[in-house]
Amino acid sequence: MTRTIVVGLGRSGLGAARLLKQQNRDVVVFERGDNEVLQHTSKTLAKECIEVVLGQPLTLESFDAWRDNLDAVVIGPGIPWDHPTLVELRSEGIQVRGEMDLAWDALQQIPWIGITGTNGKTTVTHLLNHVLEASGLTAPMGGNMGLSAAELACQISSGATPRPDWLVMELSSYQIEAAPAVAPKIGIWTTLTPDHLERHGSLEAYRAIKRGLLERSACALFNADDPDLRQQRSSWNRGTWVSSEGARPDNQPADLWIDNEGMVRNTTTRLFAADALAMPGCHNRQNLLLVTAAALEVGLSPQQIADALRTFPGVPHRLEQLGTLAGASVFNDSKATNYDAAEVGLRAVQGPVVVLAGGQTKQGDASGWLKQLQSKACSLILFGAGADELASLAKAAGYPGELLQCPELESAVNLAETAVQRHQASSLLLSPACASFDQYRDFEARGDHFRTLITPLLDVA
């Protein structure tokens, strides 16, 4: 029997190992870490006849004992596609593939909607899943958030989940890079700003990965309000372009837009009022249009789309409104893991704002975020590993408000409670502008911790 080695015991690795086992493959999982949680997971997988080797780094030597009949290596998105060990394995004729590639093989008979972009993709994924399901379709979401694609494949193959009408898949650049065969029925590109450059090396390489997904999509949907996508427009000879700015963004015709009366419309008719979606911010009007374009392509009526939009509860950790503190609206925007996303969050809330930011800093252009801080933030509270770096950026930009630093989120929330009262702030916003990995497993864990810390302090309704 041929053997497949899965590298990494995260969400994607777990899903991949179970899917391979379901396909009667001999599977072994390598995991470089070794702690109580991983040991517990390892024991669970052992009961499913999946062998796990903990404390196993990604080096050529690690594979030596497993070379017999080794036919493929499957990686999760956290492992660089061009890791030297993977390059060497490829040169020896061993297939290296991403977990998403494995899932595509198992699920490609079901039509996919693939959603990518630097920012906005999680909101679009949640919103589109809600619109399709509220209209009576079975359209589970997964991929880069929620269930891994491989775990979804396991559930569908085993019959635990009914065969869906559509799959709504959020796809990161890491996942697309390691799954060049994925070709959605509908592809959506939300935005493009510099991100993950420490992994991809250049904006051009990052852009090319996302572009590849849209080129392989039977129907391609683009956000014409995004400056980078707008610049690319002349290089696309097909696709549907949406704009919240009107019928002719940058003097190019839109296919779906919001008119001066606040109506969503296309070239033939008005569809419904844009305020059917009660989420703040211009970026959410762009998200609304992308979702509407996809839902129309699926075959829903404007009435079905509008009715579903009205019942959308919002996305956890993405400008999630938690209540009020001393009269200030409190927002959990833990999903804002880069400067551009944090700028969007700041634009969407009412000033003056007490802002909590910090974590593991990323490369990127902070100028837009700093400009928003200058005009809207009365207090900037920085926490985590990147606090010093962010403080230096704010000072260098001439940020005029109060600037406080502390080691972790709990202290930051305590400082925020008094800052809201001191400044009579309108909003309190956790929008970190940083990755979470200095102190948390992921942005969800950071957002959940914030919710736990802030809830006892909220005004009683």
Side-chain angles (χ1 to χ4, degrees), residues 18-19 22-23 106-107 150-163:
R18 286 182 167 135
L19 180 57
Q22 196 182 69
Q23 296 168 345
L107 293 170
E151 187 63 44
L152 256 177
C154 279
Q155 292 188 4
I156 293 163
S157 302
S158 69
T161 295
R163 183 183 165 88

Side-chain angles (χ1 to χ4, degrees), residues 187-239:
I188 300 175
W189 193 343
T190 59
T191 56
L192 189 94
T193 51
D195 197 12
H196 306 304
L197 301 190
E198 58 283 345
R199 167 88 167 248
H200 297 306
S202 70
L203 180 63
E204 289 68 33
Y206 175 56
R207 183 190 293 117
I209 291 165
K210 292 191 179 292
R211 184 175 176 116
L213 181 80
L214 273 290
E215 286 173 347
R216 296 190 299 274
S217 300
C219 166
L221 308 179
F222 301 96
N223 175 13
D225 295 349
D226 181 78
D228 194 282
L229 295 187
R230 205 179 254 189
Q231 284 182 343
Q232 292 183 54
R233 183 161 177 175
S234 60
S235 69
W236 289 91
N237 57 10
R238 64 185 185 93

Side-chain angles (χ1 to χ4, degrees), residues 106-306:
L107 293 170
Q108 60 180 292
Q109 301 312 312
I110 300 162
W112 284 39
I113 302 174
I115 300 151
T116 197
T118 310
N119 297 309
K121 58 185 180 292
T122 299
T123 301
V124 169
T125 302
H126 276 83
L127 186 54
L128 185 54
N129 159 261
H130 174 80
V131 167
L132 298 184
E133 298 251 339
S135 304
L137 294 170
T138 306
M141 62 179 171
N144 193 45
M145 38 63 68
L147 282 178
S148 71
E151 187 63 44
L152 256 177
C154 279
Q155 292 188 4
I156 293 163
S157 302
S158 69
T161 295
R163 183 183 165 88
D165 301 301
W166 290 84
L167 289 169
V168 183
M169 300 295 247
E170 180 182 320
L171 301 170
S172 72
S173 55
Y174 300 169
Q175 290 169 318
I176 298 166
E177 182 179 37
V182 172
K185 186 85 181 283
I186 300 172
I188 300 175
W189 193 343
T190 59
T191 56
L192 189 94
T193 51
D195 197 12
H196 306 304
L197 301 190
E198 58 283 345
R199 167 88 167 248
H200 297 306
S202 70
L203 180 63
E204 289 68 33
Y206 175 56
R207 183 190 293 117
I209 291 165
K210 292 191 179 292
R211 184 175 176 116
L213 181 80
L214 273 290
E215 286 173 347
R216 296 190 299 274
S217 300
C219 166
L221 308 179
F222 301 96
N223 175 13
D225 295 349
D226 181 78
D228 194 282
L229 295 187
R230 205 179 254 189
Q231 284 182 343
Q232 292 183 54
R233 183 161 177 175
S234 60
S235 69
W236 289 91
N237 57 10
R238 64 185 185 93
T240 295
W241 293 79
V242 310
S243 174
S244 67
E245 296 175 7
R248 293 188 66 82
D250 207 26
N251 218 23
Q252 298 265 10
D255 300 295
L256 192 71
W257 67 92
I258 297 173
D259 67 18
N260 293 337
E261 280 79 51
M263 299 294 288
V264 175
R265 65 162 303 152
N266 59 21
T267 50
T268 54
T269 185
R270 286 181 164 191
L271 304 178
F272 54 83
D275 64 8
L277 181 67
M279 289 174 75
C282 179
H283 62 293
N284 279 320
R285 290 162 76 85
Q286 297 163 16
N287 295 337
L288 152 76
L289 289 167
L290 289 166
V291 166
T292 300
L296 290 170
E297 186 67 29
V298 164
L300 300 189
S301 70
Q303 188 67 53
Q304 285 175 304
I305 298 167

